[in-house]
Amino acid sequence: MTDITILQQYKKPRLNQRHKTLIYFIFAVVLLLCIAISGSLMGEIAITTRSDAKNLLPSMAHPFGTDWLGRDMLARTLKGLSISIVIGILASVISAILAGILGVLAASFGKKTDAVIEFLINVVLGIPHLLLLLLISYALGKGMFGVVIAVAVSHWPMLARVIRGEVLAIKEAPYVKIAKKLGQHNLKIARKHMLPHIFPQFLVGFILLFPHAVLHEAALTFLGFGLKPEQPGIGIILSESMKYLSLGMWWLAVFPGLALLSTVLLFDLMGSSLRSLIDPHSANK
Amino acid sequence: MKTGHAVAVYLVKILVKLLLVLLAVSIICFVLISVSPVDPIRMYVGEVGMRNIQPETLAKLESYFGLDTPLTIRYFNWLSDFVRGDMGTSLIYRQPVIDVIGVRFVNSFALMLTAWLFSGILGFFLGVIAGIRRGRLTDKLVKGYSLLLASTPTFWLALVMLMVFAVWLKWFPIGLSVPIGVDASKVTIFDTLHHLFLPALTLSVIGVANIALHTREKMIDVMAEDYVLYAKARGKSTFSILRHHGIRNVILPAITLQFASIGEIFGGSVLVEQVFSYPGLGQAAVNAGLSGDSPLLLGIAVISAALVFSGNFIANALYGIIDPRIRRGLKND
């Protein structure tokens, strides 16, 4: 006879919230990697034109259909997404580094530096974001280089503000003040007390830059700035599809767009699940 | 210090600060356009003209475009012309930039204002409902909708709208703000609205997301306050709590956010105008950028920055004027 009370009968769920979040995170990373890798292998198929397979509706052989030159839309979409992902990551890395440096500078070097950087942030935020992207890519003579730089130098302000706030808050924390009073060197305080606290925030902010970077990259190429027409960027695919919409070729726009939306959502899922893992308090919001 | 006086000082302070930002923005725009590899003379006379151009004509054009003067002097010349309302001549429209912008500003303004009002009101309403019904189905729907829309590319949504309502259902025209081949004087207000509807709807649907999510968070915070608990304990109805405590506390942040997000609406309108070939500022900016029309691009950039500036100024001013707590705080400073 076992005498178990009701309370003891409680079964632990096999997966707790934290496990689930971890699974979401891994799911997003793996799927994005699959898109990026399969896309970069699609180079040949994406540009192969077939006169016997023009304007086909989505089918088993061509899940996303084919375009007016008989190119497979799934291959083109994957290729376009992989280009977008690479540009997005490149631009986010540069943007995050800028944000990190400026945020730490603003918080550590007194009121004047802080005011200058705050002014700089206001100036960048003072032009509608898309127009700033347009201007920078115009200044750099369009092309892929222009897109990367434009997206990179316009996305840092928000993250820089977050980093600045974090550094300012930790500077006032008792353990940092005690370390100072005990005569610890500033560099050692920065390494032992500040960095472990700032880095996770930085990482999450960095990943949450991706979705914006990818969306803006797509918008810029859609408008005709940036990638050349031969490169099947996702924005170019969508802007080309515009000419065929009135002919009723809906699949040219619907599937690539849905694929872009899913990619952005996956990046978002990756960032927000990582945030919940690193900072469990934010998960309850 | 009197309250009125304190508020005036506060307003002037923000105004000066924001004007400095606007000035810096204009410098950055000017420099970006000046360093561009696009050659204004080549754009002006064309490829064929470039081959047959006389040296003295070239020199004349160079001095006309100011290419023989240093950048700083060119900037001050441009600025002093700009303040007097002369923004140069558009190369693609062959008209003064100010005229091109004037016509297109009205179109864009109608589009943005409609979307701004509609998305603001609907987003606020949805956010409030989601906030008081936290965790229930309504909340999940509003939150899901907002998160999904926040990740949706604006131009793609515009394409889908165009496909469904203009190509399939044929309810709306495919482009342009007025019917083709109709005399300008015969264009009725109905025609204008008919062409405005889809672009405005697209912009509004996208714009709802941000304001709804923000209002929802604020509403959740307010509902967790002691005064709401106390009101519940006194047996007040949800509607009464909402009217006396909820709305009052969330409406100011919402209005401020909406004013501060004018830049985003402008960005959205650039994309939407491109898809619906709606002749507004955004479309002109894209055309100018693609065909190397520097004066027009510069003019639109500065005008759009001025729009953002006005939004930010109103947002800041509202905080100082409407909220009695901040007003009193100013007085005590």
Side-chain angles (χ1 to χ4, degrees):
Chain A
M1 280 295 282
T2 48
D3 44 345
I4 297 171
T5 64
I6 295 285
L7 274 177
Q8 283 167 315
Q9 263 177 356
Y10 168 73
K11 245 193 184 164
K12 234 172 100 182
R14 212 172 296 154
L15 291 175
N16 62 23
Q17 191 61 43
R18 213 173 155 74
H19 291 140
K20 278 188 206 155
T21 315
L22 190 64
I23 290 173
Y24 291 150
F25 178 71
I26 295 171
F27 169 77
V29 173
V30 170
L31 217 56
L32 283 168
L33 272 178
C34 286
I35 295 174
I37 293 170
S38 64
S40 55
L41 296 176
M42 291 285 174
E44 278 300 303
I45 312 172
I47 51 170
T48 316
T49 56
R50 285 179 52 188
S51 51
D52 58 330
K54 281 184 196 167
N55 305 338
L56 290 183
L57 271 163
S59 63
M60 284 307 277
H62 303 284
F64 285 14
T66 61
D67 65 3
W68 60 99
L69 290 172
R71 292 174 293 191
D72 182 57
M73 285 309 284
L74 177 62
R76 294 194 79 205
T77 305
L78 283 174
K79 175 80 186 153
L81 284 178
S82 76
I83 295 178
S84 292
I85 291 174
V86 170
I87 294 183
I89 290 177
L90 211 60
S92 305
V93 169
I94 303 177
S95 216
I97 293 174
L98 269 177
I101 294 174
L102 288 171
V104 171
L105 279 182
S108 333
F109 286 89
K111 271 194 171 170
K112 266 192 189 154
T113 325
D114 193 15
V116 169
I117 290 173
E118 179 62 25
F119 185 74
L120 211 61
I121 290 177
N122 282 330
V123 169
V124 173
L125 296 178
I127 317 174
H129 199 145
L130 197 65
L131 221 60
L132 181 63
L133 291 170
L134 230 135
L135 279 175
I136 297 174
S137 113
Y138 185 76
L140 295 172
K142 299 166 202 167
M144 181 146 164
F145 174 70
V147 176
V148 173
I149 299 298
V151 177
V153 301
S154 62
H155 279 82
W156 56 270
M158 291 301 177
L159 185 56
R161 273 193 181 151
V162 171
I163 301 285
R164 173 185 169 272
E166 289 290 326
V167 175
L168 280 180
I170 302 176
K171 263 171 83 177
E172 293 305 310
Y175 57 87
V176 169
K177 289 196 159 169
I178 291 170
K180 252 192 185 149
K181 283 268 157 47
L182 289 174
Q184 296 266 17
H185 194 268
N186 274 345
L187 271 180
K188 192 172 180 190
I189 295 177
R191 195 167 53 84
K192 287 221 114 175
H193 297 303
M194 304 269 216
L195 201 61
H197 193 94
I198 306 282
F199 189 71
Q201 302 275 348
F202 177 73
L203 196 66
V204 171
F206 162 59
I207 292 177
L208 286 177
L209 280 178
F210 288 177
H212 291 272
V214 169
L215 273 181
H216 279 128
E217 183 271 333
L220 207 52
T221 43
F222 175 78
L223 291 176
F225 294 79
L227 304 177
K228 294 184 193 74
E230 310 89 75
Q231 291 165 305
I234 198 83
I236 292 191
I237 292 176
L238 286 169
S239 93
E240 282 180 343
S241 79
M242 250 169 49
K243 292 176 222 149
Y244 297 87
L245 283 189
S246 49
L247 301 175
M249 291 166 71
W250 51 271
W251 61 92
L252 292 185
V254 169
F255 293 119
L258 277 178
L260 173 61
L261 172 59
S262 321
T263 308
V264 173
L265 282 174
L266 279 175
F267 269 126
D268 212 44
L269 178 68
M270 187 174 141
S272 52
S273 55
L274 184 66
R275 181 169 54 197
S276 312
L277 288 174
I278 287 176
D279 176 17
H281 178 71
S282 73
N284 296 324
K285 273 196 177 160
Chain B
M1 232 199 302
K2 280 205 185 94
T3 315
H5 187 66
V7 169
V9 169
Y10 169 78
L11 288 185
V12 170
K13 259 192 202 161
I14 314 175
L15 193 66
V16 170
K17 204 181 111 194
L18 288 176
L19 272 176
L20 277 177
V21 170
L22 189 59
L23 199 67
V25 167
S26 82
I27 294 176
I28 288 183
C29 292
F30 191 84
V31 170
L32 280 176
I33 289 204
S34 304
V35 300
S36 167
V38 177
D39 178 5
I41 299 178
R42 189 173 287 271
M43 295 317 288
Y44 187 69
V45 296
E47 287 299 324
V48 186
M50 252 346 242
R51 257 176 268 143
N52 307 325
I53 201 163
Q54 302 290 323
E56 44 279 24
T57 330
L58 191 65
K60 242 188 223 167
L61 279 173
E62 269 177 9
S63 73
Y64 172 74
F65 285 108
L67 294 182
D68 48 358
T69 43
L71 192 64
T72 34
I73 298 180
R74 258 192 289 157
Y75 172 74
F76 283 112
N77 287 341
W78 172 83
L79 188 65
S80 71
D81 284 349
F82 184 88
V83 202
R84 277 182 268 134
D86 175 13
M87 305 185 202
T89 310
S90 160
L91 302 179
I92 43 176
Y93 297 98
R94 310 271 164 178
Q95 277 174 18
V97 169
I98 185 113
D99 295 347
V100 179
I101 290 183
V103 174
R104 283 163 178 271
F105 185 79
V106 178
N107 290 338
S108 280
F109 196 71
L111 174 62
M112 286 191 279
L113 188 69
T114 322
W116 187 80
L117 283 175
F118 188 74
S119 67
I121 294 168
L122 187 67
F124 180 72
F125 184 70
L126 289 177
V128 167
I129 293 181
I132 47 175
R133 311 215 132 238
R134 186 188 182 186
R136 310 244 194 115
L137 185 64
T138 344
D139 178 32
K140 282 181 183 149
L141 284 178
V142 171
K143 208 178 151 193
Y145 167 85
S146 304
L147 289 177
L148 186 66
L149 261 292
S151 298
T152 306
T154 313
F155 56 94
W156 180 67
L157 187 70
L159 280 176
V160 173
M161 291 269 188
L162 189 72
M163 223 150 40
V164 174
F165 292 106
V167 178
W168 281 351
L169 298 173
K170 298 194 170 61
W171 287 356
F172 295 98
I174 292 186
L176 304 172
S177 78
V178 288
I180 304 163
V182 175
D183 197 54
S185 56
K186 285 186 191 138
V187 175
T188 58
I189 182 88
F190 176 75
D191 285 331
T192 314
L193 288 180
H194 195 208
H195 286 257
L196 181 71
F197 190 85
L198 271 189
L201 181 68
T202 311
L203 263 189
S204 312
V205 166
I206 291 273
V208 162
N210 197 7
I211 184 94
L213 282 178
H214 184 83
T215 308
R216 173 182 172 273
E217 297 233 324
K218 289 269 172 220
M219 199 66 211
I220 288 173
D221 289 347
V222 169
M223 292 309 277
E225 291 282 351
D226 288 344
Y227 53 76
V228 170
L229 185 66
Y230 180 53
K232 273 185 197 158
R234 279 180 296 154
K236 286 216 169 197
S237 67
T238 311
F239 179 74
S240 163
I241 293 176
L242 205 59
R243 204 180 128 209
H244 293 113
H245 303 291
I247 303 285
R248 277 162 205 242
N249 279 302
V250 291
I251 195 151
L252 190 61
I255 293 176
T256 315
L257 179 77
Q258 195 65 355
F259 270 109
S261 67
I262 285 180
E264 268 169 55
I265 291 203
F266 190 93
S269 83
V270 173
L271 294 165
V272 167
E273 284 174 12
Q274 190 68 13
V275 174
F276 292 99
S277 41
Y278 183 88
L281 280 182
Q283 201 204 23
V286 173
N287 284 344
L290 288 178
S291 44
D293 187 349
S294 300
L296 184 59
L297 187 56
L298 184 57
I300 295 175
V302 176
I303 293 292
S304 72
L307 261 178
V308 174
F309 159 85
S310 324
N312 285 341
F313 178 67
I314 296 173
N316 277 302
L318 276 179
Y319 248 117
I321 295 169
I322 294 186
D323 194 329
R325 287 166 301 189
I326 298 181
R327 202 166 55 216
R328 255 172 251 136
L330 287 175
K331 200 171 115 184
N332 297 336
D333 274 347

